[in-house]
Amino acid sequence: MPLDQEFQSNLIPKQNLPIPDLQLNDSVKTGEILLVDDTNANLKLISDFLRESGFKVRGAKSGWKALKILEITSPDLILLDVVMPEMDGFETCRRLKEWDKTKDIPVIFMTAIADASHPEHKVQGLALGAVDYISKPIQLAEVLARVKTHLHLRFLTKQLQAQNAHLCAEIEVRRKTEEQLRLLERAIAASSNGILISDPHQAGNPVIYANSGFERITGYKREDILGKNCRFLQGTDTKQPALDELHRAIAKGQGTQVVLRNYRKDGTLFWNEFCLNPVRDEAGHLTHFIGVQTDITEHKKREEELQQAKAREKEKAQALEQTLGELKRTQTQLIQTEKMSSLGRMVAGIAHEINNPVSFIYGNLTPAKEYFQGLTQLIELYQQAYPKPTPEIQHFIEEIDLEFLLEDWSKVIHSMQIGAERIEQTVLSLKSFSRLDESELKPVDIHENIDNTLLILQHRLRAEGNRPEIKVMKDYGQLPRVYCYASQLNQVFMNLINNAIDALESQPQPRVITISTALGQNSKIKIQNEQGQTPNPPIPSPNPQYAIIQIADNGIGMCEEVCQQIFDPFFTTKSVGSGTGLGLAISHQIIVEKHQGQIRCISLPGQGTELIVEIPINLAI
Ligand SMILES: Cc1cc2nc3c(=O)[nH]c(=O)nc-3n(C[C@H](O)[C@H](O)[C@H](O)COP(=O)(O)O)c2cc1C
């Protein structure tokens, strides 16, 4: 189908105007006739004759009556007597021709006047619009012949009029169609999109229409493309995934939308948001393809700039976040360092202050013991030499219960010695805990450090008043000396054990803290075979060995949400004032950043908590 016809069929609903078929012969035979005559005999004679000849006939005895009848009927022919009383045939005819309803009905005059002596009557009648004359006396055969002729003419005229009306309507439809076609052409030309139509029934699916939008976008002229396939717009850039999609859609006669890299006539790239659709005829058969190009190069450029700006913003935000994180960490570290250093200084000071007097006590205990033994021997010698003491001495001996005194004195000295030794031990632990000078990596006995921490926390572990004791179960494995920052590691143990004690605070018996140590691989470093599976038993990894310290309590435990936040600075589950929310954050920092290790938490509500610390044993090497 030619393209313009197709546009037309799409734009204007088809108007199948029927060409009128008037069945000429039948209509002539059965035509309706109005007979007007003031003579009854004439009326009867002619109407009988015409009825017998197959016509429908109505009669009227005057011009007035005829006009009355015509108000309700529309005969095909009027036979009109000229000479009639009141209104003659000419006047009646004049009125008929003035009246829209009757002006086209042919009128035949019947008169005896129309003879050779009065030719002007005939002229007058014809001038009034009559089509013919029948002379009286009536010849019935003549009447029939003239009636048939004029009825025939009447029907031919009607048919012509109908055909004319049909043609006029068709012309109007075409005019509108053409108007719409021109509008469509102007609109397509004005579109900023490139619009292309191809004919898939021709070899190579060539373009048969391109609008000015195509010329504006690509820089090519219509003549450059008509009859060719559009793929030349891809230049050498033919490995675009979108082209496969386009190829598939065309092969299946389907529509699709893709974004293509295309090249203008001057070789510059433009991004073509291309929309392809099949055009089908009324039966649904594919006739053409229509492709609409939208140049989105500017849009793409803006999008890319936006993406770059977004990426830059993201980078900035990340840098800011990092700085903020570092600041937070530095702040917490500063606070804690300050706290720990003043605590350390205080502990060291106290240790030093206690150490001196304890040394006096401890140092004097041996001479005190010796002196006492001397005095005891002296008393015994006196008792042997003077078995009967004076009443005054006897009274004093009884008053001081000399026998018990001599027996208990050595016990007193012994317990003083034990007490002094314990104080000495505590002082040693305090010193070792504070170790402010130890800011360097040193090989450390981890077990000793844990024990020192436990010693310092004895007061919280012991049973006191109604508070039952907390049992500490140690399951120490074989650990070599571990290179670490000892005072910082002590800080971690202190935090973890303190937290375990807190978790057991309101727990019923048995209240247990289990501390286990072992040498092992970092739990995150797993040797895998080629299939990505961990062999069983695991092959020892070439990675450095780790000291693994697990501190578990059978306390209240934590839900997963809390577990995920416990290492966040300032996060605390303790009541206001009793926890800073820094302990675990600092512990995390010390283990992960300072010792390149790991710290993890495993916990469930009601099932206790386990904190696992893993630090490499050879950090310094
Ligand atoms: C109506 C029509 C318009 C098209 N317009 C373009 C176009 O603007 N740019 C383009 O790269 N490809 C266009 N194509 C697609 C190519 O003509 C071709 O179909 C495409 O490269 C995939 O087929 P191929 O693998 O045979 O090259 C158009 C296709 C049709 C049917």
Side-chain angles (χ1 to χ4, degrees), residues 27 41 182 205 234 256 280 295 383 395 433 453 468 532 574 585 608:
S27 300
R182 277 193 296 276
N205 194 3
Q234 298 148 17
T256 187
R280 301 185 186 282
D295 183 352
Q383 281 178 335
H395 178 72
F433 181 79
T453 311
K574 296 173 191 167

Side-chain angles (χ1 to χ4, degrees), residues 105-300:
I105 303 174
V107 176
I108 300 175
F109 279 125
M110 299 183 297
T111 181
I113 322 167
D115 52 26
S117 54
H118 295 289
E120 72 277 7
H121 285 161
K122 223 176 198 173
V123 174
Q124 189 184 357
L126 291 170
L128 282 169
V131 291
D132 208 351
Y133 264 90
I134 296 174
S135 306
K136 287 184 178 175
I138 297 292
Q139 297 293 316
L140 288 174
E142 184 193 344
V143 170
L144 185 61
R146 287 192 190 276
V147 161
K148 275 189 176 171
T149 303
H150 285 291
L151 274 178
H152 189 78
L153 281 173
R154 168 73 177 145
F155 284 112
L156 280 178
T157 309
K158 268 191 177 174
Q159 194 177 33
L160 270 176
Q161 277 171 346
Q163 279 175 348
N164 199 28
H166 172 77
L167 278 175
C168 282
E170 206 162 68
I171 286 167
E172 182 58 14
V173 168
R174 276 185 180 274
R175 194 188 60 75
K176 280 192 178 153
T177 306
E178 274 168 21
E179 206 173 85
Q180 281 194 314
L181 269 175
R182 277 193 296 276
L183 169 68
L184 199 69
E185 216 168 309
R186 286 200 307 279
I188 288 181
S191 167
S192 56
N193 292 101
I195 298 174
L196 298 156
I197 296 170
S198 76
D199 183 353
H201 301 298
Q202 287 186 45
N205 194 3
V207 171
I208 57 161
Y209 173 86
N211 73 340
S212 347
F214 164 81
E215 294 186 331
R216 279 194 295 273
I217 291 176
T218 64
Y220 285 101
K221 290 268 154 236
R222 252 172 270 217
E223 307 80 78
D224 297 331
I225 189 172
L226 290 179
K228 291 184 193 150
N229 186 293
C230 266
R231 68 173 70 84
F232 72 89
L233 288 173
Q234 298 148 17
T236 52
D237 196 356
T238 52
K239 296 265 178 293
Q240 307 175 41
L243 288 174
D244 296 335
E245 160 64 19
L246 194 54
H247 188 88
R248 264 197 302 277
I250 292 173
K252 288 184 183 168
Q254 291 172 346
T256 187
Q257 189 158 354
V258 288
V259 174
L260 301 167
R261 282 190 302 273
N262 276 180
Y263 298 86
R264 298 181 222 275
K265 196 171 183 178
D266 63 9
T268 53
L269 168 86
F270 74 95
W271 287 94
N272 180 358
E273 189 178 72
F274 181 68
C275 181
L276 180 87
N277 274 300
V279 180
R280 301 185 186 282
D281 62 16
E282 280 153 2
H285 298 128
L286 176 76
T287 60
H288 300 88
F289 278 108
I290 179 161
V292 179
Q293 307 171 314
T294 309
D295 183 352
I296 56 162
T297 315
E298 277 306 308
H299 173 76
K300 270 259 176 194

Side-chain angles (χ1 to χ4, degrees), residues 584-596:
L584 283 177
I586 288 169
S587 302
H588 187 270
Q589 202 173 338
I590 291 171
I591 298 300
V592 176
E593 289 177 22
K594 274 279 186 185
H595 291 88
Q596 292 165 30

